[in-house]
Amino acid sequence: MKKYTTIYDIDNIPETIQEAILLKENPFAHKALGTNKTLVMLFFNASLRTRLSTEKAAKNLGMDVMILNVNDAWNLEFEEGTIMNLNSSEHVKEAAQVISQYADIIAIRAFPSLEDKEKDTSEWILNSFTKHATVPIVNMESATMHPLQALADAITITELQKKQQPKVVLSWAPHPKALPQAVANSFVKMMQSLNIDFSITHPEGYELDSEITKNVPVYYDQKEALQDADFVYAKNWSSYESYGKVLHQDSNWMLTKDTLKEAKFMHCLPVRRNVVVEDAVLDGENSIVIQQALNRVFSAQIVLKKMLENL
Ligand code: CP
């Protein structure tokens, strides 16, 4: 694997999921692969799971890890041909090449502004590093995608599914802040790549990018959508059409024991209790959010393993 910026960088998704499940059984089996290799992780934004699970994955493979919170470094410039006489001290052209000399793989987290749709959609930070770095790039959540999360979600569903073709529903849930569409986008793409019965439910105005959802059924009635669901993935996202706006925070969309019934409850975390989902669900036996978070290690580890094999 030469890069992992979207789930489509995986050649065979079902096969990769099975490989990740095997890695989980024997996580240190490939410790020699990463010896004398370094992962540099660049964080433009906060993280708990991505930071720790990706570091753990790299260490399971024998890699060294260096982490830079980018806000602690020089202000980076991304525009080509700009006169750098304001706040930016260093251009990504030099930064990406310099970091590539210290790293065998670079992983990047860079959220969207949620203010400039065109700029966010262009993935200017991730793509600038992909363009100017000389080593493989891993997306640890960019403006529009979170492919490591989606792979962990697919691993979790595969581990727990009892039917050949389970019913999986992605449900919008309320949240007080404007959140990106990245987790939902990557989850939709991943579910389209698996043999499952998949649908989306959200209030009107929260339609995701139609280039991503394609012909996935969308319901504006959450109760109807969740009927007989095996897995329900709750996630808030801000409006894509009215870009970055919180249109409303209708608490009727909060996931409850009543609405979920026997379905397994999924969320990428962090989650706001009794806003996105009620305590009774999160603390109940059908919540699989902790297993999802564990599987973040093995989604990162299978991706890093495939990259190390290709170096
Ligand atoms: N799910 C996820 O990406 O968690 P963090 O933001 O804590 O990394």
Side-chain angles (χ1 to χ4, degrees):
M1 191 185 281
K2 290 196 173 73
K3 66 178 179 67
Y4 188 58
T5 55
T6 89
I7 67 154
Y8 300 131
D9 290 320
I10 301 174
D11 281 341
N12 184 327
I13 290 173
E15 209 173 274
T16 301
I17 292 169
Q18 292 304 332
E19 286 170 18
I21 292 170
L22 276 180
L23 270 184
K24 194 172 175 179
E25 287 171 17
N26 199 357
F28 309 114
H30 306 278
K31 198 127 191 156
L33 200 57
T35 304
N36 298 330
K37 298 282 190 286
T38 301
L39 172 69
V40 170
M41 298 203 283
L42 304 178
F43 285 92
F44 288 79
N45 308 95
S47 169
L48 186 154
R49 277 143 293 274
T50 304
R51 181 167 177 157
L52 295 179
S53 63
T54 309
E55 180 168 355
K56 174 82 179 140
K59 288 180 171 170
N60 284 352
L61 291 165
M63 298 184 81
D64 292 319
V65 178
M66 297 195 293
I67 299 173
L68 180 67
N69 295 320
V70 179
N71 294 336
D72 293 339
W74 303 111
N75 267 353
L76 285 180
E77 178 59 56
F78 291 87
E79 295 291 332
E80 295 273 346
T82 191
I83 299 168
M84 288 171 54
N85 60 355
L86 294 172
N87 292 330
S88 302
S89 305
E90 177 160 18
H91 202 281
V92 67
K93 282 187 185 181
E94 285 78 54
Q97 291 180 75
V98 168
I99 297 166
S100 298
Q101 298 180 117
Y102 311 146
D104 296 279
I105 298 171
I106 299 174
I108 300 169
R109 165 162 285 201
F111 290 170
S113 65
L114 292 179
E115 285 166 8
D116 186 333
K117 185 177 191 172
E118 202 179 327
K119 201 170 174 192
D120 287 346
T121 309
S122 77
E123 292 282 11
W124 54 288
I125 296 180
L126 186 73
N127 286 340
S128 296
F129 274 96
T130 306
K131 183 174 173 186
H132 298 296
T134 56
V135 298
I137 298 289
V138 176
N139 180 351
M140 295 195 296
E141 189 172 348
S142 63
T144 67
M145 294 293 156
H146 197 354
L148 286 174
Q149 181 67 52
L151 182 54
D153 300 334
I155 293 166
T156 311
I157 290 171
T158 305
E159 286 178 323
L160 295 173
Q161 73 183 71
K162 293 199 173 102
K163 293 177 188 162
Q164 190 77 16
Q165 199 181 36
K167 177 173 173 176
V168 180
V169 183
L170 171 64
S171 177
W172 181 93
H175 197 283
K177 291 175 69 178
L179 296 188
Q181 296 96 26
V183 169
N185 286 344
S186 285
F187 187 71
V188 170
K189 286 187 171 197
M190 181 58 82
M191 293 303 105
Q192 287 166 333
S193 308
L194 301 180
N195 178 30
I196 55 154
D197 169 4
F198 179 55
S199 51
I200 304 170
T201 181
H202 57 71
E204 285 188 58
Y206 281 102
E207 288 75 13
L208 293 163
D209 181 356
S210 59
E211 294 285 315
I212 292 172
T213 54
K214 296 196 173 92
N215 53 2
V216 175
V218 173
Y219 296 85
Y220 294 131
D221 181 336
Q222 189 193 48
K223 201 171 169 190
E224 184 189 358
L226 266 50
Q227 212 161 12
D228 301 320
D230 297 296
F231 296 89
V232 175
Y233 199 111
K235 184 73 187 85
N236 173 270
W237 59 87
S238 56
S239 174
Y240 182 69
E241 179 64 32
S242 301
Y243 190 65
K245 297 279 177 296
V246 177
L247 304 178
H248 61 76
Q249 302 176 37
D250 186 350
S251 59
N252 290 319
W253 281 77
M254 179 176 79
L255 279 302
T256 66
K257 269 188 109 160
D258 270 358
T259 51
L260 284 162
K261 302 204 165 49
E262 296 310 310
K264 299 282 186 206
F265 175 77
M266 302 183 75
H267 193 282
C268 61
L269 303 181
V271 68
R272 292 192 182 223
R273 283 174 173 259
N274 304 309
V275 176
V276 171
V277 56
E278 68 175 359
D279 279 345
V281 171
L282 215 45
D283 297 331
E285 60 184 18
N286 283 332
S287 172
I288 56 173
V289 299
I290 305 301
Q291 186 166 336
Q292 275 176 271
L294 170 63
N295 284 333
R296 289 295 307 275
V297 175
F298 303 101
S299 69
Q301 195 168 332
I302 193 65
V303 165
L304 294 174
K305 178 173 176 282
K306 284 178 184 291
M307 284 183 175
L308 289 168
E309 285 165 346
N310 196 57
L311 286 180

